Amino acid sequence: MNRIVYVNGDYLPEADAKISVFDRGFLFADAVYEVTSVLDGRLVDFPGHLARLHRSLGALELTTPLDDAGLEEMHRELLKRNRLTEGAVYMQVTRGAADRDFAYPASSEPGLVAFTQAKALIESPTAAKGIRVISVQDIRWARRDIKTTQLLGPSMCKMIAKKAGADDAWFVEEGFVTEGTSNNAWIITADGAIVTRNLSAAILHGITRAAVMTYAEAAGMRVEERPFTIAEAQGAAEAFITSASAFVTPVVEIDGVPLGDGAPGPVTKRLRELYIAESRARAS
Ligand code: PDD
């Protein structure tokens, strides 16, 4: 790959981009991030991602070296320099470099890195086929509402799913699904309600989740925010996941049990089309 990436004020070829071995993002996962999808060369719901970034930063007493206008300009510059029309921009803010100590350093320069990833988001073969998920115990920490770079739990569980022949895992805590390894989990009940877990520290407050709720309700669909079990999901009419990189992607099998006829369902397809149309219209 030959991308231009952003590192602490500079745009550099990716091979030349370096950070300190003392960066607390590297040593402690003392860093937060955002992934903003890109459609037609434009950013999807960047204000939503900025708002969540500030929430994550606030929870960890972190600051960013650029203000909101600077962050937006940096995103646009990366799109331009990499000629990205479809995919995502990954941005990470770290507490910066300091001698290793569990306490936050009294003063450190926050770090900021960002890069683009090209990906076919609309014509996604995964979305056309749907994914198979398995359930795993939610082994992550208790502040999943903060979007930190502590991603080893999700990464391990994604591998457990892959080794079991599935595509992804849904985390279960105290009998209820929290979310997917890198996405929010949803079911559609037999009577047409669209159900996703209510917001709390147990899940990431997905930007795609919020948008799908708004668009679904505006289209006259009923959305319920509540926990659900794997058994309820296996008996549901349809299921799907949402994230900035998956948009709305159907789930066709849970722990070996096919949903409906085992193919992506009509309501999920409609929600995906709705999400893509609205996101395209509003991207800026
Ligand atoms: N993941 N839940 C978790 C645990 C996530 O990591 C993500 C996003 C989501 C969906 O959030 P959003 O709709 O704002 O993307 C839910 C990103 C895409 C990632 O880590 O690559």
Side-chain angles (χ1 to χ4, degrees):
M1 278 174 288
N2 198 16
R3 285 170 292 192
I4 298 296
V5 305
Y6 176 90
V7 190
N8 297 325
D10 294 320
Y11 294 92
L12 298 170
E14 61 181 73
D16 300 336
K18 305 271 189 304
I19 58 153
S20 165
V21 294
F22 294 105
D23 190 284
R24 287 180 58 95
F26 175 59
L27 296 178
F28 290 96
D30 190 353
V32 299
Y33 75 106
E34 283 297 327
V35 177
T36 305
S37 49
V38 176
L39 284 179
D40 310 318
R42 295 184 298 168
L43 299 166
V44 176
D45 203 352
F46 192 64
H49 287 281
L50 275 182
R52 186 174 61 191
L53 177 72
H54 285 296
R55 195 176 174 279
S56 298
L57 292 167
L60 296 173
E61 298 168 47
L62 272 168
T63 55
T64 131
L66 293 181
D67 63 11
D68 287 0
L71 291 173
E72 184 174 339
E73 197 186 308
M74 181 269 281
H75 274 63
R76 297 200 189 288
E77 190 63 29
L78 279 179
L79 296 186
K80 205 165 82 190
R81 290 188 188 230
N82 292 287
R83 294 191 181 84
L84 188 77
T85 53
E86 196 166 319
V89 181
Y90 175 98
M91 156 176 68
Q92 174 171 331
V93 181
T94 90
R95 202 178 302 276
D99 199 16
R100 188 174 183 274
D101 187 340
F102 279 74
Y104 299 164
S107 72
S108 61
E109 284 284 308
L112 178 64
V113 303
F115 54 82
T116 53
Q117 285 187 303
K119 192 178 172 197
L121 300 176
I122 294 178
E123 296 305 325
S124 150
T126 312
K129 247 178 31 198
I131 62 166
R132 290 171 299 153
V133 301
I134 60 163
S135 59
V136 295
Q137 189 196 341
D138 201 332
I139 57 168
R140 300 171 302 162
W141 77 328
R143 289 301 308 276
R144 302 156 200 153
D145 55 321
I146 311 173
K147 196 166 171 63
T148 75
T149 58
Q150 263 190 136
L151 295 172
L152 198 51
S155 193
M156 274 176 76
C157 291
K158 178 110 185 175
M159 289 314 296
I160 290 170
K162 294 240 174 220
K163 284 179 186 157
D167 302 293
D168 202 358
W170 275 10
F171 289 121
V172 174
E173 186 170 62
E174 292 170 358
F176 293 96
V177 174
T178 51
E179 58 188 332
T181 58
S182 60
N183 44 68
N184 290 115
W186 303 67
I187 58 172
I188 301 169
T189 62
D191 66 353
I194 303 167
V195 183
T196 194
R197 191 172 172 124
N198 48 298
L199 296 181
S200 70
I203 63 166
L204 184 76
H205 302 186
I207 303 302
T208 320
R209 174 190 179 282
V212 167
M213 277 181 60
T214 304
Y215 304 150
E217 279 169 347
M221 301 176 181
R222 183 157 54 90
V223 179
E224 284 176 21
E225 290 181 272
R226 61 165 175 84
F228 56 85
T229 62
I230 287 291
E232 183 181 4
Q234 286 173 324
E238 300 179 34
F240 63 93
I241 56 163
T242 56
S243 78
S245 43
F247 290 172
V248 173
T249 291
V251 170
V252 293
E253 188 184 296
I254 303 172
D255 283 339
V257 175
L259 273 91
D261 60 3
V267 181
T268 303
K269 277 191 196 160
R270 184 170 166 220
L271 282 170
R272 181 175 170 85
E273 282 161 16
L274 193 59
Y275 177 78
I276 290 173
E278 293 285 347
S279 299
R280 270 197 141 146
R282 292 162 197 237
S284 57

